[in-house]
Amino acid sequence: MPGMMIKELKAPLELTETELGELKPGYAKVSLKAAALNHRDYWITQGLYPGIELPKVLGSDGAGIVAEVGDSGDQPWVGKEVIINPGWDWGTSEATQSSEFTILGMPHNGTFATEILAPVEMLRERPKHLSWEEAAALPLAGVTAFRATMSQGQLRPGEKVLISGVGGGVATFALQFAVAAGAEVAVTSSSEAKIAAAKELGAVAGFNYREEGWQKNAAQSFGRPNLIIDSAAGKGYANLVELAAPGGRIVNYGATTGPPEKVDMFKLFWNQLKLIGSTMGSPADFRGMLDLVDRHQIKPVIDQVFSLAQANEALARMEKGEQFGKIVLRI
Amino acid sequence: MPGMMIKELKAPLELTETELGELKPGYAKVSLKAAALNHRDYWITQGLYPGIELPKVLGSDGAGIVAEVGDSGDQPWVGKEVIINPGWDWGTSEATQSSEFTILGMPHNGTFATEILAPVEMLRERPKHLSWEEAAALPLAGVTAFRATMSQGQLRPGEKVLISGVGGGVATFALQFAVAAGAEVAVTSSSEAKIAAAKELGAVAGFNYREEGWQKNAAQSFGRPNLIIDSAAGKGYANLVELAAPGGRIVNYGATTGPPEKVDMFKLFWNQLKLIGSTMGSPADFRGMLDLVDRHQIKPVIDQVFSLAQANEALARMEKGEQFGKIVLRI
């Protein structure tokens, strides 16, 4: 089976013929039609991720057709068009993942390949309104956005939501999910083009976070958000704490610009704020995400489609950070 | 009416004859039997509180007998033994107080006096198992501890709870409430005597936060807490973030040692933590607190009782920080 493998850090992936391995009971062999990139893939290539084992096939997101199911497995799955929940062994608590939790694509071989082995219980039928590329774009970023916005963020209809740094896969899904859930949504970006694209998806306002005092402008023209979804943290976090409405929640699913310089604890307790961490999601989050996508016929935003062999070009596009929506590999 | 008034900042309170004011409809005149101190009172004397107006009678906590009710008011209250909810004009949201919210004792005249005017709707019957001194010790610290632990902290039976800096009124109530609610509770303090006193109240473990690495010891011998109740923040906050169980909550009702130096955002999102602010409480929190106190026959811990005229000595004891439980004034 050919797959785009990471063989050493900070080097291009290599298209390599590799063994798929044994099809164990409870597992399915899926013929992949499309895969999608996540920042995680890029970070792994740079060695910026815990628990890297080499060589591996990269990739957390995939969609395809079930070719075969292991011995005692659920045979009706054979022939079905599926996406794969990339969050394996979450465990039994909704509050947090177990210590066995892993994300598809490291240390398991991932989706940048023509075939993959995955537990049958991680399969879900492909949403019927989505193309292969759209379906592959959904899993990791979709479940992360759903957990951040709904399960951890507890979004309620009619609330004001701010999505910071729109353009990335999770932020774009968070925007779409919040709009679908009946929120009034604003975004931030350093790119006017991304703000314009977010407005096409239903954002009612956009602010350039490079402009000094943007948060005061946002408070005045949009209002103070009940929920903020952020993955940057860093120096700009203080603006979010200042901007959040009393009783508001700030959910972080990442901290790409490092830890906040200082957190204003007086604002935290007097404004009754909640600063919430979130990552990936449980099987229940994954089902909830698919329900929401189905109910509102949400289509993932595709930034650009590459071939499997072009995975390095796809990673280079992600590194530049110019994308709006998901970068996809057609297999 | 004599009351202990603050006339200028950083000066002793003065026992002064002052006007009670007009008894308006919807208000009650309460003859006070006891009052209690809060850190807020001390901070006001030091000018470390927003919106100070002088001169005023200090004091947020009081218990007494309803002497009279204004014209269209609820006459059956006359003669009843009551405590006063010090959180006025909270508003309609459970998530946060309204912008009209005030705390009794500034800018309204407070409880360090023989009489007070209070809205009838802020009166609650004195818990029957409490003395006047115990009843007066309850309101502000009790509702703050209840909101932090139950409403914001969402404590569930069987969880592990850590109360940092035990000895203060709120921390001591939080300990009692968490024990009553079926949690396994540990405390921190720099005082072995306070740790011993906390164990008398049901704490199963205590750690001296001055000892380097105490949090590793706590993780090993007590386990990682699902809920941490803190009012210090500052440099020690990083230890709490490290110690919290995955999926855990850290609730701050204050930040007496300043903002945290850095918040480890990777731990925040990977461990799915919630950092929660909390202050005072809603009328529903106040009712919930009284229900809990009644159901479990909880008795506030009284550190020391002074006379009304000794309020400055009582404030001096609070400033030293040696108390365990509430400092009370008998009127």
Side-chain angles (χ1 to χ4, degrees), chain B residues 133-218:
Chain B
E133 287 75 18
E134 289 166 340
L138 195 55
L140 192 147
V143 74
T144 302
F146 184 87
R147 184 172 177 87
T149 313
M150 303 297 169
S151 309
Q152 297 288 83
Q154 291 283 307
L155 175 62
R156 290 180 289 269
E159 287 193 319
K160 285 183 199 292
V161 177
L162 181 83
I163 313 284
S164 76
V166 80
V170 179
T172 307
F173 280 123
L175 163 60
Q176 292 177 287
F177 295 171
V179 168
E184 200 178 335
V185 186
V187 299
T188 72
S189 176
S190 62
S191 150
E192 294 303 323
K194 288 186 182 182
I195 288 174
K199 287 182 176 172
E200 295 282 320
L201 291 172
V204 299
F207 305 95
N208 188 328
Y209 60 71
R210 292 248 167 89
E211 282 172 16
E212 191 69 30
W214 69 266
Q215 77 280 6
K216 294 185 203 306
N217 182 12

Side-chain angles (χ1 to χ4, degrees), chain B residues 225-238:
Chain B
N226 309 100
L227 175 63
I228 298 174
I229 306 290
D230 179 57
S231 70
K235 203 179 162 190
Y237 193 75

Side-chain angles (χ1 to χ4, degrees), chain A residues 299-331:
Chain A
K299 290 196 174 201
V301 178
I302 306 291
D303 173 70
Q304 201 170 326
V305 180
F306 294 84
S307 71
L308 179 60
Q310 291 173 314
N312 291 307
E313 292 162 59
L315 282 167
R317 175 151 181 86
M318 170 158 278
E319 187 185 354
K320 277 199 281 181
E322 289 172 0
Q323 77 276 15
F324 189 92
K326 296 292 292 182
I327 300 169
V328 172
L329 304 179
R330 189 177 289 136
I331 298 169

